[in-house]
Amino acid sequence: MTSDDEILDSIRRESALAELLWQVCEFDLSRGDHGEPVRLPSGVALDGVAGDFTGGTFFLCGDRGTARPVLYASSEGQAGLIGQSLAEALEIMIGLPSWRDCLKFSGSGDLEVMRTTAAHLGRDELRDEPQIGAARVRLASALDLKFGSVPVLLARLHAAVSATAPDFVLTVRTGDEYESLFGPWLPSRNPAWR
């Protein structure tokens, strides 16, 4: 598997790859500042490496040269692990249509609910962005990542977020904790999916 540093170097070197990553995953290396001081209760180092269009931040956790899990923190106060490495997190983000919504509409972390949500999101994506599937395959190939099936990627995302507590719960200076990435909503909350 490709190392975190090799992946980041590839993206930095190739502007076309960085642009494709932005189009498919909204992962932008120029947006690594989270905007507020945060820490992990375990004392593990946080390195903000990228951001998304909503103001969320992707952090590598731990020291360089070690296995570095990826933690995503939204601008709305939710945070959690999304992969045990940058490669795994990118495989999930590339392969899952709207991975954030799979978590938002997860019924507080129910994998079966996430599968239902992913099916709705996949149909929406096929209808609204039929060309994105080919872009996902190109991006995975360019980064030398595996292009997994949706059920496998959902299971990996679910396992990563579930492993957030206790060591990777993001806190602010006052000690207040970010909420889980698992949202309480069911797919039935979205009127278009009924």
Side-chain angles (χ1 to χ4, degrees):
M1 181 153 308
T2 309
S3 77
D4 296 343
D5 289 333
E6 290 171 327
I7 291 170
L8 292 172
D9 288 345
S10 292
I11 298 165
R12 289 182 183 115
R13 277 194 318 270
E14 300 177 42
S15 61
L17 179 57
E19 179 61 28
L20 186 59
L21 190 58
W22 171 251
Q23 290 171 2
V24 172
C25 301
E26 298 165 355
F27 186 91
D28 183 357
L29 292 181
S30 70
R31 298 178 184 213
D33 179 29
H34 188 56
E36 73 174 332
V38 291
R39 65 178 190 82
L40 296 174
S42 60
V44 170
L46 286 171
D47 182 14
V49 294
D52 64 15
F53 79 103
T54 66
T57 307
F58 299 92
F59 294 94
L60 290 176
C61 305
D63 297 320
R64 284 182 163 223
T66 65
R68 298 175 79 191
V70 176
L71 183 135
Y72 173 74
S74 77
S75 60
E76 297 167 0
Q78 297 86 28
L81 295 177
I82 60 167
Q84 293 306 312
S85 68
L86 183 58
E88 181 178 274
L90 287 173
E91 286 173 357
I92 289 168
M93 290 188 291
I94 292 167
L96 277 180
S98 303
W99 63 272
R100 291 173 198 82
D101 286 336
C102 287
L103 294 169
K104 183 178 179 180
F105 293 93
S106 71
S108 299
D110 184 314
L111 184 55
E112 192 56 43
V113 172
M114 290 173 69
R115 288 184 184 116
T116 301
T117 298
H120 288 296
L121 291 165
R123 284 191 294 274
D124 290 352
E125 182 180 88
L126 190 58
R127 180 192 66 228
D128 299 338
E129 299 180 88
Q131 75 289 352
I132 196 78
R136 289 181 190 283
V137 172
R138 280 196 320 275
L139 182 55
S141 177
L143 290 170
D144 197 26
L145 300 173
K146 297 175 189 163
F147 195 70
S149 69
V150 169
V152 168
L153 296 174
L154 276 173
R156 288 169 58 193
L157 178 61
H158 184 270
V161 176
S162 296
T164 299
D167 294 334
F168 295 96
V169 175
L170 197 64
T171 61
V172 295
R173 193 175 303 170
T174 62
D176 291 336
E177 296 179 349
Y178 276 55
E179 297 174 4
S180 172
L181 287 176
F182 288 132
W185 295 331
L186 298 172
S188 58
R189 181 177 172 96
N190 184 332
W193 295 344
R194 291 185 193 145

